[in-house]
Amino acid sequence: MKLILLFVATLIRSASAAEPTSAEILAQSAASDWRAPDPQRTLYLELASGRVVIELQPEFAPKHVANIAQLVRQKYFDGLAILRAQDNYVVQWGDPNGEKPEARPLGKAKRSLSPEFFRPSFAEVPFTALIDPDSYAPHVGFSLGMPAARDEHRTWLVHCYGMVGVGRDEAADSGGGTELYVVIGHAPRHLDRNVTLVGRVISGIERLSTLPRGSGDLGFYTDKEARPPVLRVRLAADVPPNERTALELLRTDTPTFARFVDARRQRREKWFVDPVGHVDVCNVPLPVRKRSP
Amino acid sequence: MKLILLFVATLIRSASAAEPTSAEILAQSAASDWRAPDPQRTLYLELASGRVVIELQPEFAPKHVANIAQLVRQKYFDGLAILRAQDNYVVQWGDPNGEKPEARPLGKAKRSLSPEFFRPSFAEVPFTALIDPDSYAPHVGFSLGMPAARDEHRTWLVHCYGMVGVGRDEAADSGGGTELYVVIGHAPRHLDRNVTLVGRVISGIERLSTLPRGSGDLGFYTDKEARPPVLRVRLAADVPPNERTALELLRTDTPTFARFVDARRQRREKWFVDPVGHVDVCNVPLPVRKRSP
């Protein structure tokens, strides 16, 4: 039995030796396999070290994305700070004064919204499913450029590295987007369907992941002086075109993407000596490349 | 059907409300649930920012662990450098001169060894299995204090955050421990059974995970000046007792650990509004606490 299995494995390896690697698939991709992020739903988080670019995904969290855009247009985040950097978990920013009287006013934006932890049906949204098992969900895959999961009656975004979510307190409806966090460690999938995810970092995440970790519980900075400042947050649409970061994202609903995922599953690069044959939804990179402006 | 499922879910939640959280289980643990790391197989990696403590696990990679200990006793790593920091992947250190003539001599140690990617049988090694599905392996769990996986004829350590492995070139037997790496991102499980893992970081990983990322391919530092120096590496046993880092590790073969894992699976903390019910092997923290020296 073992010999037969090995023989089959050898056959599969031989057959796939001629198949391209993920790098080769990207090199051979067509212009139509890529899309430019919509400047109306792209955020520039400006830190002392430079820019972090975030793509928002309103199809999964329309109220939260609209509220965040409202906060950004009001320059709500300008001059606020990164409040928390917890190793192997998240970096989070917002108003150091929280909801105190001296907190920054919210203007037309809301402090809290009803949760958008999932979409109630998956029929309406494109979903490129993985064939691999997942520890947390019956089905995982990609939807509208984001890692996602679904069961028989819900679809939700999942907490892979780089995903951006809405901080909240104990009440499910206590978040609204005034505090946002980014995953900087192993995917905390236990947060799925417990937090509203709004998008993902598509450039500059190393400016967040290398921040000094906070010394307090949950990585909060106990010393105010230690908090890295948030210089400003802007919608790309509100930045002059020549100051925008010109990026393109590989679409997740194309045959090219399906081949790319399979190449990540099989790992045909010569370096691999034991076939992998599986891939975790959070181990599929969602490629981003520079675009001529 | 949906109503029945919801009813059952409610029953489970009510029943588990009285069950302790993972923090409560740790607070109630007995002294015998903990163990001190063996100073003969504990490494201190000393950086400008302080100490990183690594527990080696010779049961899975006896030849590599012995070779690394030999290198350390020869002070091989002292004054070498961190060569690579790749975001969401690994930090790696070794000799910047690689195998060139001016490379540091290896003394009694070996440059390369036959691979120890897995143990050929799991019958001999303790294994606390998870009940949850895994994307990569038929069974995952914990063995001798480390995250591990197995199939019908092999057991291997898995690439969770903080795991330490032996860098190698294309040939499976091209690594020996002169270059070591630590996982600082989402578990790169595709490396499982393709690299020899030798242990895990049990303290100070933030000194690695916050390092500036290298600007070259694969996160290599292209500028020599940018490479963070490795001041020295020592076995804890070779450090005076009053200079050792006194730590204790939660054993992974006890009823307390099994309850801890289940508490991480169920997430009974009030903050969670949608039951999780699953856990990924790399989302179970392996608790470490300070010990009175």
Side-chain angles (χ1 to χ4, degrees), chain A residues 239-266:
Chain A
V239 167
N242 63 344
E243 292 172 22
R244 294 183 194 167
T245 305
L247 298 171
E248 280 186 324
L249 307 166
L250 191 70
R251 300 178 62 98
T252 58
D253 58 353
T254 64
T256 295
F257 183 72
R259 290 168 65 225
F260 176 81
V261 170
D262 193 56
R264 291 292 297 187
R265 179 182 292 118
Q266 306 301 343

PDB file of all heavy atoms in Angstrom, chain A residues 239-266:
ATOM      1  N   VAL A 239      -6.217  62.706  -2.654  1.00  0.00           N
ATOM      2  CA  VAL A 239      -4.790  63.028  -2.771  1.00  0.00           C
ATOM      3  C   VAL A 239      -4.528  63.333  -4.246  1.00  0.00           C
ATOM      4  O   VAL A 239      -5.074  62.643  -5.117  1.00  0.00           O
ATOM      5  CB  VAL A 239      -3.950  61.814  -2.292  1.00  0.00           C
ATOM      6  CG1 VAL A 239      -2.489  61.949  -2.670  1.00  0.00           C
ATOM      7  CG2 VAL A 239      -4.123  61.629  -0.787  1.00  0.00           C
ATOM      8  N   PRO A 240      -3.723  64.351  -4.546  1.00  0.00           N
ATOM      9  CA  PRO A 240      -3.440  64.640  -5.960  1.00  0.00           C
ATOM     10  C   PRO A 240      -2.901  63.395  -6.663  1.00  0.00           C
ATOM     11  O   PRO A 240      -2.107  62.647  -6.071  1.00  0.00           O
ATOM     12  CB  PRO A 240      -2.367  65.734  -5.886  1.00  0.00           C
ATOM     13  CG  PRO A 240      -2.518  66.359  -4.528  1.00  0.00           C
ATOM     14  CD  PRO A 240      -3.036  65.272  -3.629  1.00  0.00           C
ATOM     15  N   PRO A 241      -3.345  63.161  -7.910  1.00  0.00           N
ATOM     16  CA  PRO A 241      -2.953  61.928  -8.616  1.00  0.00           C
ATOM     17  C   PRO A 241      -1.457  61.663  -8.597  1.00  0.00           C
ATOM     18  O   PRO A 241      -1.033  60.510  -8.448  1.00  0.00           O
ATOM     19  CB  PRO A 241      -3.466  62.165 -10.038  1.00  0.00           C
ATOM     20  CG  PRO A 241      -4.663  63.044  -9.842  1.00  0.00           C
ATOM     21  CD  PRO A 241      -4.323  63.950  -8.687  1.00  0.00           C
ATOM     22  N   ASN A 242      -0.634  62.706  -8.700  1.00  0.00           N
ATOM     23  CA  ASN A 242       0.817  62.450  -8.737  1.00  0.00           C
ATOM     24  C   ASN A 242       1.398  62.091  -7.366  1.00  0.00           C
ATOM     25  O   ASN A 242       2.562  61.749  -7.257  1.00  0.00           O
ATOM     26  CB  ASN A 242       1.560  63.645  -9.347  1.00  0.00           C
ATOM     27  CG  ASN A 242       1.399  64.902  -8.500  1.00  0.00           C
ATOM     28  OD1 ASN A 242       0.509  64.963  -7.640  1.00  0.00           O
ATOM     29  ND2 ASN A 242       2.236  65.892  -8.720  1.00  0.00           N
ATOM     30  N   GLU A 243       0.580  62.175  -6.321  1.00  0.00           N
ATOM     31  CA  GLU A 243       1.048  61.766  -4.988  1.00  0.00           C
ATOM     32  C   GLU A 243       0.463  60.415  -4.562  1.00  0.00           C
ATOM     33  O   GLU A 243       0.675  59.963  -3.437  1.00  0.00           O
ATOM     34  CB  GLU A 243       0.671  62.826  -3.940  1.00  0.00           C
ATOM     35  CG  GLU A 243       1.435  64.129  -4.125  1.00  0.00           C
ATOM     36  CD  GLU A 243       0.923  65.235  -3.198  1.00  0.00           C
ATOM     37  OE1 GLU A 243       0.307  64.906  -2.152  1.00  0.00           O
ATOM     38  OE2 GLU A 243       1.130  66.401  -3.538  1.00  0.00           O
ATOM     39  N   ARG A 244      -0.302  59.810  -5.451  1.00  0.00           N
ATOM     40  CA  ARG A 244      -0.891  58.507  -5.104  1.00  0.00           C
ATOM     41  C   ARG A 244       0.126  57.383  -5.302  1.00  0.00           C
ATOM     42  O   ARG A 244       1.070  57.515  -6.071  1.00  0.00           O
ATOM     43  CB  ARG A 244      -2.125  58.242  -5.978  1.00  0.00           C
ATOM     44  CG  ARG A 244      -3.252  59.213  -5.704  1.00  0.00           C
ATOM     45  CD  ARG A 244      -4.482  58.885  -6.533  1.00  0.00           C
ATOM     46  NE  ARG A 244      -5.410  60.017  -6.508  1.00  0.00           N
ATOM     47  CZ  ARG A 244      -6.461  60.155  -7.314  1.00  0.00           C
ATOM     48  NH1 ARG A 244      -6.727  59.219  -8.219  1.00  0.00           N
ATOM     49  NH2 ARG A 244      -7.243  61.219  -7.219  1.00  0.00           N
ATOM     50  N   THR A 245      -0.091  56.288  -4.607  1.00  0.00           N
ATOM     51  CA  THR A 245       0.723  55.091  -4.783  1.00  0.00           C
ATOM     52  C   THR A 245       0.047  54.251  -5.859  1.00  0.00           C
ATOM     53  O   THR A 245      -1.095  53.811  -5.681  1.00  0.00           O
ATOM     54  CB  THR A 245       0.792  54.293  -3.462  1.00  0.00           C
ATOM     55  OG1 THR A 245       1.277  55.160  -2.436  1.00  0.00           O
ATOM     56  CG2 THR A 245       1.728  53.105  -3.591  1.00  0.00           C
ATOM     57  N   ALA A 246       0.737  54.079  -6.983  1.00  0.00           N
ATOM     58  CA  ALA A 246       0.119  53.404  -8.136  1.00  0.00           C
ATOM     59  C   ALA A 246       0.338  51.893  -8.018  1.00  0.00           C
ATOM     60  O   ALA A 246       1.449  51.403  -8.184  1.00  0.00           O
ATOM     61  CB  ALA A 246       0.722  53.930  -9.427  1.00  0.00           C
ATOM     62  N   LEU A 247      -0.732  51.182  -7.695  1.00  0.00           N
ATOM     63  CA  LEU A 247      -0.644  49.734  -7.474  1.00  0.00           C
ATOM     64  C   LEU A 247      -1.679  49.003  -8.319  1.00  0.00           C
ATOM     65  O   LEU A 247      -2.706  49.571  -8.698  1.00  0.00           O
ATOM     66  CB  LEU A 247      -0.910  49.417  -5.996  1.00  0.00           C
ATOM     67  CG  LEU A 247       0.060  50.015  -4.973  1.00  0.00           C
ATOM     68  CD1 LEU A 247      -0.461  49.791  -3.565  1.00  0.00           C
ATOM     69  CD2 LEU A 247       1.451  49.433  -5.144  1.00  0.00           C
ATOM     70  N   GLU A 248      -1.395  47.737  -8.552  1.00  0.00           N
ATOM     71  CA  GLU A 248      -2.375  46.849  -9.166  1.00  0.00           C
ATOM     72  C   GLU A 248      -2.462  45.581  -8.339  1.00  0.00           C
ATOM     73  O   GLU A 248      -1.459  45.114  -7.801  1.00  0.00           O
ATOM     74  CB  GLU A 248      -1.938  46.454 -10.583  1.00  0.00           C
ATOM     75  CG  GLU A 248      -2.222  47.518 -11.610  1.00  0.00           C
ATOM     76  CD  GLU A 248      -1.914  47.005 -13.007  1.00  0.00           C
ATOM     77  OE1 GLU A 248      -0.941  46.224 -13.167  1.00  0.00           O
ATOM     78  OE2 GLU A 248      -2.643  47.381 -13.929  1.00  0.00           O
ATOM     79  N   LEU A 249      -3.661  45.028  -8.296  1.00  0.00           N
ATOM     80  CA  LEU A 249      -3.921  43.816  -7.506  1.00  0.00           C
ATOM     81  C   LEU A 249      -4.329  42.697  -8.444  1.00  0.00           C
ATOM     82  O   LEU A 249      -5.123  42.908  -9.358  1.00  0.00           O
ATOM     83  CB  LEU A 249      -5.056  44.085  -6.525  1.00  0.00           C
ATOM     84  CG  LEU A 249      -4.866  45.313  -5.629  1.00  0.00           C
ATOM     85  CD1 LEU A 249      -6.180  45.685  -4.950  1.00  0.00           C
ATOM     86  CD2 LEU A 249      -3.794  45.040  -4.603  1.00  0.00           C
ATOM     87  N   LEU A 250      -3.813  41.492  -8.177  1.00  0.00           N
ATOM     88  CA  LEU A 250      -4.249  40.350  -8.977  1.00  0.00           C
ATOM     89  C   LEU A 250      -5.709  40.055  -8.647  1.00  0.00           C
ATOM     90  O   LEU A 250      -6.079  39.931  -7.471  1.00  0.00           O
ATOM     91  CB  LEU A 250      -3.382  39.119  -8.659  1.00  0.00           C
ATOM     92  CG  LEU A 250      -3.561  37.931  -9.604  1.00  0.00           C
ATOM     93  CD1 LEU A 250      -2.983  38.240 -10.990  1.00  0.00           C
ATOM     94  CD2 LEU A 250      -2.903  36.664  -9.041  1.00  0.00           C
ATOM     95  N   ARG A 251      -6.542  39.958  -9.679  1.00  0.00           N
ATOM     96  CA  ARG A 251      -7.949  39.624  -9.451  1.00  0.00           C
ATOM     97  C   ARG A 251      -8.052  38.208  -8.862  1.00  0.00           C
ATOM     98  O   ARG A 251      -7.221  37.352  -9.157  1.00  0.00           O
ATOM     99  CB  ARG A 251      -8.731  39.680 -10.768  1.00  0.00           C
ATOM    100  CG  ARG A 251      -8.711  41.039 -11.440  1.00  0.00           C
ATOM    101  CD  ARG A 251      -9.478  40.984 -12.754  1.00  0.00           C
ATOM    102  NE  ARG A 251     -10.854  40.645 -12.499  1.00  0.00           N
ATOM    103  CZ  ARG A 251     -11.859  41.525 -12.413  1.00  0.00           C
ATOM    104  NH1 ARG A 251     -11.622  42.807 -12.608  1.00  0.00           N
ATOM    105  NH2 ARG A 251     -13.077  41.131 -12.149  1.00  0.00           N
ATOM    106  N   THR A 252      -9.059  37.971  -8.055  1.00  0.00           N
ATOM    107  CA  THR A 252      -9.202  36.642  -7.432  1.00  0.00           C
ATOM    108  C   THR A 252     -10.312  35.809  -8.084  1.00  0.00           C
ATOM    109  O   THR A 252     -10.678  34.761  -7.563  1.00  0.00           O
ATOM    110  CB  THR A 252      -9.487  36.779  -5.921  1.00  0.00           C
ATOM    111  OG1 THR A 252     -10.666  37.557  -5.735  1.00  0.00           O
ATOM    112  CG2 THR A 252      -8.314  37.430  -5.207  1.00  0.00           C
ATOM    113  N   ASP A 253     -10.822  36.269  -9.217  1.00  0.00           N
ATOM    114  CA  ASP A 253     -11.935  35.569  -9.870  1.00  0.00           C
ATOM    115  C   ASP A 253     -11.578  35.145 -11.293  1.00  0.00           C
ATOM    116  O   ASP A 253     -12.459  35.061 -12.150  1.00  0.00           O
ATOM    117  CB  ASP A 253     -13.184  36.457  -9.874  1.00  0.00           C
ATOM    118  CG  ASP A 253     -12.939  37.794 -10.576  1.00  0.00           C
ATOM    119  OD1 ASP A 253     -11.768  38.083 -10.939  1.00  0.00           O
ATOM    120  OD2 ASP A 253     -13.906  38.552 -10.771  1.00  0.00           O
ATOM    121  N   THR A 254     -10.304  34.868 -11.534  1.00  0.00           N
ATOM    122  CA  THR A 254      -9.863  34.540 -12.891  1.00  0.00           C
ATOM    123  C   THR A 254      -9.203  33.157 -12.938  1.00  0.00           C
ATOM    124  O   THR A 254      -8.723  32.656 -11.920  1.00  0.00           O
ATOM    125  CB  THR A 254      -8.804  35.552 -13.377  1.00  0.00           C
ATOM    126  OG1 THR A 254      -7.661  35.425 -12.528  1.00  0.00           O
ATOM    127  CG2 THR A 254      -9.324  36.977 -13.319  1.00  0.00           C
ATOM    128  N   PRO A 255      -9.134  32.555 -14.134  1.00  0.00           N
ATOM    129  CA  PRO A 255      -8.377  31.296 -14.271  1.00  0.00           C
ATOM    130  C   PRO A 255      -6.911  31.469 -13.869  1.00  0.00           C
ATOM    131  O   PRO A 255      -6.308  30.543 -13.314  1.00  0.00           O
ATOM    132  CB  PRO A 255      -8.517  30.965 -15.761  1.00  0.00           C
ATOM    133  CG  PRO A 255      -9.779  31.652 -16.185  1.00  0.00           C
ATOM    134  CD  PRO A 255      -9.857  32.911 -15.364  1.00  0.00           C
ATOM    135  N   THR A 256      -6.337  32.627 -14.124  1.00  0.00           N
ATOM    136  CA  THR A 256      -4.941  32.859 -13.716  1.00  0.00           C
ATOM    137  C   THR A 256      -4.806  32.735 -12.204  1.00  0.00           C
ATOM    138  O   THR A 256      -3.867  32.104 -11.697  1.00  0.00           O
ATOM    139  CB  THR A 256      -4.469  34.250 -14.176  1.00  0.00           C
ATOM    140  OG1 THR A 256      -4.459  34.283 -15.595  1.00  0.00           O
ATOM    141  CG2 THR A 256      -3.071  34.572 -13.641  1.00  0.00           C
ATOM    142  N   PHE A 257      -5.742  33.329 -11.463  1.00  0.00           N
ATOM    143  CA  PHE A 257      -5.669  33.247 -10.008  1.00  0.00           C
ATOM    144  C   PHE A 257      -5.831  31.795  -9.545  1.00  0.00           C
ATOM    145  O   PHE A 257      -5.123  31.331  -8.646  1.00  0.00           O
ATOM    146  CB  PHE A 257      -6.724  34.143  -9.350  1.00  0.00           C
ATOM    147  CG  PHE A 257      -6.634  34.131  -7.848  1.00  0.00           C
ATOM    148  CD1 PHE A 257      -5.594  34.754  -7.190  1.00  0.00           C
ATOM    149  CD2 PHE A 257      -7.594  33.467  -7.084  1.00  0.00           C
ATOM    150  CE1 PHE A 257      -5.492  34.727  -5.805  1.00  0.00           C
ATOM    151  CE2 PHE A 257      -7.498  33.433  -5.699  1.00  0.00           C
ATOM    152  CZ  PHE A 257      -6.455  34.065  -5.054  1.00  0.00           C
ATOM    153  N   ALA A 258      -6.734  31.066 -10.173  1.00  0.00           N
ATOM    154  CA  ALA A 258      -6.920  29.650  -9.796  1.00  0.00           C
ATOM    155  C   ALA A 258      -5.632  28.858 -10.016  1.00  0.00           C
ATOM    156  O   ALA A 258      -5.251  28.024  -9.183  1.00  0.00           O
ATOM    157  CB  ALA A 258      -8.074  29.048 -10.602  1.00  0.00           C
ATOM    158  N   ARG A 259      -4.926  29.139 -11.113  1.00  0.00           N
ATOM    159  CA  ARG A 259      -3.649  28.459 -11.365  1.00  0.00           C
ATOM    160  C   ARG A 259      -2.593  28.896 -10.361  1.00  0.00           C
ATOM    161  O   ARG A 259      -1.768  28.099  -9.922  1.00  0.00           O
ATOM    162  CB  ARG A 259      -3.175  28.733 -12.801  1.00  0.00           C
ATOM    163  CG  ARG A 259      -4.045  28.036 -13.863  1.00  0.00           C
ATOM    164  CD  ARG A 259      -3.731  28.552 -15.269  1.00  0.00           C
ATOM    165  NE  ARG A 259      -2.382  28.223 -15.682  1.00  0.00           N
ATOM    166  CZ  ARG A 259      -1.538  29.083 -16.278  1.00  0.00           C
ATOM    167  NH1 ARG A 259      -1.921  30.335 -16.508  1.00  0.00           N
ATOM    168  NH2 ARG A 259      -0.337  28.693 -16.627  1.00  0.00           N
ATOM    169  N   PHE A 260      -2.630  30.166 -10.012  1.00  0.00           N
ATOM    170  CA  PHE A 260      -1.689  30.694  -9.016  1.00  0.00           C
ATOM    171  C   PHE A 260      -1.892  29.986  -7.672  1.00  0.00           C
ATOM    172  O   PHE A 260      -0.940  29.555  -7.031  1.00  0.00           O
ATOM    173  CB  PHE A 260      -1.916  32.210  -8.895  1.00  0.00           C
ATOM    174  CG  PHE A 260      -1.091  32.874  -7.831  1.00  0.00           C
ATOM    175  CD1 PHE A 260       0.232  33.210  -8.066  1.00  0.00           C
ATOM    176  CD2 PHE A 260      -1.643  33.178  -6.587  1.00  0.00           C
ATOM    177  CE1 PHE A 260       0.997  33.823  -7.086  1.00  0.00           C
ATOM    178  CE2 PHE A 260      -0.884  33.790  -5.606  1.00  0.00           C
ATOM    179  CZ  PHE A 260       0.442  34.106  -5.855  1.00  0.00           C
ATOM    180  N   VAL A 261      -3.145  29.859  -7.263  1.00  0.00           N
ATOM    181  CA  VAL A 261      -3.440  29.173  -5.995  1.00  0.00           C
ATOM    182  C   VAL A 261      -2.952  27.735  -6.053  1.00  0.00           C
ATOM    183  O   VAL A 261      -2.328  27.237  -5.110  1.00  0.00           O
ATOM    184  CB  VAL A 261      -4.957  29.223  -5.688  1.00  0.00           C
ATOM    185  CG1 VAL A 261      -5.296  28.312  -4.513  1.00  0.00           C
ATOM    186  CG2 VAL A 261      -5.401  30.652  -5.414  1.00  0.00           C
ATOM    187  N   ASP A 262      -3.187  27.064  -7.173  1.00  0.00           N
ATOM    188  CA  ASP A 262      -2.769  25.676  -7.265  1.00  0.00           C
ATOM    189  C   ASP A 262      -1.243  25.554  -7.220  1.00  0.00           C
ATOM    190  O   ASP A 262      -0.707  24.597  -6.645  1.00  0.00           O
ATOM    191  CB  ASP A 262      -3.321  25.019  -8.531  1.00  0.00           C
ATOM    192  CG  ASP A 262      -3.163  23.512  -8.452  1.00  0.00           C
ATOM    193  OD1 ASP A 262      -3.676  22.921  -7.467  1.00  0.00           O
ATOM    194  OD2 ASP A 262      -2.498  22.928  -9.322  1.00  0.00           O
ATOM    195  N   ALA A 263      -0.562  26.523  -7.806  1.00  0.00           N
ATOM    196  CA  ALA A 263       0.911  26.505  -7.755  1.00  0.00           C
ATOM    197  C   ALA A 263       1.396  26.715  -6.322  1.00  0.00           C
ATOM    198  O   ALA A 263       2.426  26.168  -5.921  1.00  0.00           O
ATOM    199  CB  ALA A 263       1.482  27.579  -8.681  1.00  0.00           C
ATOM    200  N   ARG A 264       0.674  27.499  -5.546  1.00  0.00           N
ATOM    201  CA  ARG A 264       1.028  27.662  -4.128  1.00  0.00           C
ATOM    202  C   ARG A 264       0.724  26.376  -3.344  1.00  0.00           C
ATOM    203  O   ARG A 264       1.353  26.086  -2.344  1.00  0.00           O
ATOM    204  CB  ARG A 264       0.256  28.828  -3.510  1.00  0.00           C
ATOM    205  CG  ARG A 264       0.675  30.177  -4.017  1.00  0.00           C
ATOM    206  CD  ARG A 264       2.077  30.569  -3.570  1.00  0.00           C
ATOM    207  NE  ARG A 264       2.204  30.690  -2.132  1.00  0.00           N
ATOM    208  CZ  ARG A 264       3.284  31.146  -1.511  1.00  0.00           C
ATOM    209  NH1 ARG A 264       4.330  31.567  -2.197  1.00  0.00           N
ATOM    210  NH2 ARG A 264       3.329  31.207  -0.210  1.00  0.00           N
ATOM    211  N   ARG A 265      -0.276  25.653  -3.794  1.00  0.00           N
ATOM    212  CA  ARG A 265      -0.634  24.397  -3.131  1.00  0.00           C
ATOM    213  C   ARG A 265       0.403  23.315  -3.429  1.00  0.00           C
ATOM    214  O   ARG A 265       0.781  22.557  -2.542  1.00  0.00           O
ATOM    215  CB  ARG A 265      -2.014  23.952  -3.628  1.00  0.00           C
ATOM    216  CG  ARG A 265      -2.501  22.641  -3.043  1.00  0.00           C
ATOM    217  CD  ARG A 265      -3.849  22.254  -3.632  1.00  0.00           C
ATOM    218  NE  ARG A 265      -4.900  23.159  -3.221  1.00  0.00           N
ATOM    219  CZ  ARG A 265      -5.614  23.920  -4.042  1.00  0.00           C
ATOM    220  NH1 ARG A 265      -5.415  23.871  -5.357  1.00  0.00           N
ATOM    221  NH2 ARG A 265      -6.543  24.733  -3.570  1.00  0.00           N
ATOM    222  N   GLN A 266       0.865  23.248  -4.674  1.00  0.00           N
ATOM    223  CA  GLN A 266       1.763  22.145  -5.076  1.00  0.00           C
ATOM    224  C   GLN A 266       3.233  22.471  -4.845  1.00  0.00           C
ATOM    225  O   GLN A 266       4.050  21.558  -4.740  1.00  0.00           O
ATOM    226  CB  GLN A 266       1.541  21.793  -6.549  1.00  0.00           C
ATOM    227  CG  GLN A 266       0.089  21.475  -6.910  1.00  0.00           C
ATOM    228  CD  GLN A 266      -0.498  20.298  -6.130  1.00  0.00           C
ATOM    229  OE1 GLN A 266       0.223  19.507  -5.539  1.00  0.00           O
ATOM    230  NE2 GLN A 266      -1.820  20.198  -6.107  1.00  0.00           N
TER     231      GLN A 266
END
